[in-house]
Amino acid sequence: MTEPETFLIRAALPGDAEPLGLLDRATWSPLHAVVPAPSEPYPPFFDDRHRPADHLVAERAGTLLGYVRVGHPTPLAANAHVRQIQGLAVADEARGQGVGRALLRAALVKARADGATRITLRVLGHNVPARALYEAEGFAVEGVLPGEFLIDGAFVDDVQMGRSLG
């Protein structure tokens, strides 16, 4: 039996924009997206609100396997101690290999290093695999907005989760 291939978690670079955009479009799904499927012309992956510094990527042999976006939930000084997971995607071919868990754990480390004491996220109620991962990594449901989104003709809950970084 051979060892599974390893991957590296690193900070995103400006040159990662195109492969991250491709990955983001390839992983789009109504399981986690509240916006319509992407169509041309595609917006840039990085912009004024989503900079390379806000992203960590998983890479193996020069191929990006996934990313996590960690940002501020608001521009308010009163919650500058909080970070928010604002996106997590793993390429189909890398699923089940611990990439999502490694990215999530790296996001917690990054948030602590940036001075955060708390981290939050939002996940669709029907996204059972993501919710299980978040719960396994210490996130707890802190609120539910029932039927907040209408996706493919069905109302879907917006589940708010969080955890301390202490």
Side-chain angles (χ1 to χ4, degrees):
M1 182 147 90
T2 61
E3 298 243 344
E5 292 184 64
T6 58
F7 51 87
L8 167 75
I9 304 292
R10 63 167 175 80
L13 302 170
D16 293 328
E18 186 175 336
L20 284 171
L22 290 169
L23 174 68
D24 208 42
R25 292 188 294 274
T27 59
W28 181 93
S29 165
L31 185 62
H32 59 79
V34 296
V35 296
S39 61
E40 293 189 65
Y42 302 119
F45 186 82
F46 297 131
D47 58 28
D48 292 341
R49 289 183 45 232
H50 308 105
R51 303 162 302 131
D54 301 326
H55 296 77
L56 297 170
V57 298
E59 178 183 44
R60 178 186 303 137
T63 299
L64 295 186
L65 306 174
Y67 76 86
V68 62
R69 178 182 291 145
V70 184
H72 292 270
T74 75
L76 302 172
N79 81 331
H81 64 286
V82 179
R83 294 299 178 279
Q84 186 177 57
I85 303 290
Q86 297 176 338
L88 175 65
V90 176
D92 289 343
E93 64 272 14
R95 295 205 176 168
Q97 299 175 27
V99 174
R101 186 175 307 278
L103 283 165
L104 186 58
R105 288 178 178 176
L108 301 178
V109 170
K110 176 182 174 20
R112 278 188 203 101
D114 290 345
T117 59
R118 178 171 159 66
I119 192 162
T120 64
L121 58 86
R122 295 168 68 175
V123 61
L124 294 176
H126 65 203
N127 193 344
V128 176
R131 291 180 64 181
L133 170 63
Y134 300 141
E135 287 173 6
E137 293 300 319
F139 285 82
V141 173
E142 296 180 338
V144 177
L145 299 174
E148 186 71 1
F149 298 106
L150 180 62
I151 300 173
D152 285 346
F155 291 104
V156 179
D157 295 349
D158 183 6
V159 180
Q160 300 167 342
M161 301 180 81
R163 63 163 282 180
S164 169
L165 292 172

